[in-house]
Amino acid sequence: MPLHLKANIPVSDTHIPQHVAIIMDGNGRWAREKGLPRREGHRAGAESVREVVEACKKLGVRFLTLYAFSSENWKRPKAEIRALMALLKEFLRVKTPEMKSQGVRLHAIGRLEDLPSDCQRELYSAIDQTSSNSDIDLVLALSYGSREEIVDAARQLASEAANGILNPEDIDNDLMGQKLYTKNIPDPDLLIRTSGERRLSNFLLWQISYAEIVISEKFWPDFREPDLKAAIAEYGERNRRFGSI
Ligand code: FPP
C-alpha cells in the first residue's frame, strides 16, 4: 500500500530506506532564535529524537544512526558538555523502559571510554536491557569521529599483520568494514542533515559511500515526523545506481 507523505508525494513501501543516518544540527541556533540558553535547544532536540525513532519504526526503517556527540564536540565549553552528558544520561534513564517495550534495540559507536563513567553505566545498562529487541536498531554515535574510527581499524589490522595472524594482501573492503565500530550494521541508505548545512562533519565517511544525502532546512528541534517523511519521499525519488549506469 503506498504511503502518502508530505506534499502528497506517494511513496511505496519499497522506497523505505533500510538504514537512515542523521546529523542532528541546529540545536544552538534554535535556542538563540528563541532567546533561550543552548541547553534548551539540546533538550528540545531530545524530544525530536524520541519522535523520529518512533516514526522510523512505524515506517519500517530497520536501522537509525544518530550523531549525538562528535569527537570535536569535546572542544565546546565545559558547561555545555556537562549539560549534553546530563541530558544523555537522563534520556537513557527515562527512555529505556519505553525502548524496551517499543522493540528498540540500542547500540552505541564511538570512543565510548571517553564518556563520563555515569553516562557509560547508563548506556551499557540500556544496551543490555534492550538487547533482545528486534523491531528497530537505534545506534547512537557518541564521542564519535569517522577518522578516529578508521585509525582504530587501521591499528587493529596493523597489529594483526605485525603478529603474523593477518596477511596484508587479505585486507579488502569487507575486512575493513568488519574492523569498524559499525561491523554487522548495514551501510546507511539515506543521510539526513538538518539546519541547512552541507557538510559531512567526520560522520560515517566510509559507510556513506553510496548513501543518498538529503538536507533539511529545519533546525533539529523542529525536525519531526512530517520532515522525516519528506526526506524519505525525496530519497524515494532518487535513482540509486551504485556506480553502474
Ligand atoms: C548539534 O546542534 C547538536 C549536537 C551537538 C548534539 C545533539 C544532541 C541532541 C539532539 C540532544 C540529545 C541527544 C540524545 C540522543 C538524547 P548544535 O549545538 O551544533 O547547533 P548549532 O550549530 O546551531 O550551534
Side-chain angles (χ1 to χ4, degrees):
M1 194 184 75
L3 297 163
H4 288 276
L5 303 182
K6 207 183 170 199
N8 288 329
I9 305 166
V11 172
S12 92
D13 294 11
T14 55
H15 286 144
I16 298 295
Q18 182 188 27
H19 184 172
V20 174
I22 307 184
I23 302 178
M24 308 181 286
D25 195 13
N27 294 352
R29 279 162 285 164
W30 181 92
R32 194 174 59 218
E33 269 193 359
K34 295 187 156 39
L36 296 168
R38 289 176 62 83
R39 65 172 183 279
E40 290 308 318
H42 298 313
R43 180 166 293 283
E47 201 38 47
S48 293
V49 169
R50 192 197 57 74
E51 188 166 321
V52 165
V53 174
E54 227 169 76
C56 279
K57 193 192 143 188
K58 269 198 294 196
L59 288 166
V61 171
R62 279 291 294 110
F63 296 86
L64 172 65
T65 300
L66 300 176
Y67 206 2
F69 195 86
S70 75
S71 9
E72 286 79 18
N73 287 156
W74 292 114
K75 295 182 204 137
R76 292 192 175 196
K78 292 246 174 326
E80 181 168 349
I81 295 175
R82 258 200 309 276
L84 274 165
M85 293 300 147
L87 190 58
L88 172 69
K89 202 173 120 188
E90 186 193 323
F91 177 89
L92 292 168
R93 193 178 53 76
V94 174
K95 301 292 178 197
T96 297
E98 217 173 282
M99 290 195 275
K100 263 169 83 174
S101 65
Q102 299 283 311
V104 179
R105 177 164 48 200
L106 185 71
H107 310 263
I109 55 171
R111 289 188 175 161
L112 307 177
E113 64 279 12
D114 295 345
L115 299 173
S117 50
D118 53 345
C119 275
Q120 287 188 44
R121 265 196 303 278
E122 208 67 64
L123 182 64
Y124 287 120
S125 158
I127 289 172
D128 188 49
Q129 290 183 61
T130 59
S131 62
S132 55
N133 282 345
S134 57
D135 289 348
I136 179 166
D137 288 276
L138 170 63
V139 184
L140 294 183
L142 293 164
S143 190
Y144 175 86
S146 189
R147 288 183 170 180
E148 287 76 2
E149 177 182 32
I150 292 168
V151 165
D152 286 350
R155 280 190 189 144
Q156 271 188 64
L157 291 168
S159 127
E160 288 176 19
N163 291 329
I165 52 174
L166 171 69
N167 178 354
E169 301 276 308
D170 292 337
I171 300 174
D172 59 10
N173 289 352
D174 285 344
L175 186 63
M176 183 71 189
Q178 279 306 309
K179 300 296 178 193
L180 297 174
Y181 308 148
T182 50
K183 61 174 178 284
N184 306 327
I185 297 173
D187 289 344
D189 306 290
L190 168 62
L191 172 71
I192 301 172
R193 182 168 188 147
T194 60
S195 90
E197 302 290 347
R198 285 153 168 75
R199 285 188 299 278
L200 295 175
S201 299
N202 204 14
F203 187 47
L204 301 176
L205 301 179
W206 174 278
Q207 298 87 340
I208 57 165
S209 295
Y210 293 101
E212 294 293 331
I213 301 177
V214 171
I215 305 291
S216 166
E217 297 302 322
K218 293 260 181 94
F219 292 141
W220 175 250
D222 288 330
F223 188 93
R224 298 298 168 102
E225 183 169 353
D227 308 293
L228 174 77
K229 287 178 169 174
I232 291 180
E234 192 175 331
Y235 165 86
E237 292 187 319
R238 306 264 179 95
N239 175 13
R240 300 181 82 200
R241 295 195 302 277
F242 298 97
S244 72
I245 52 172

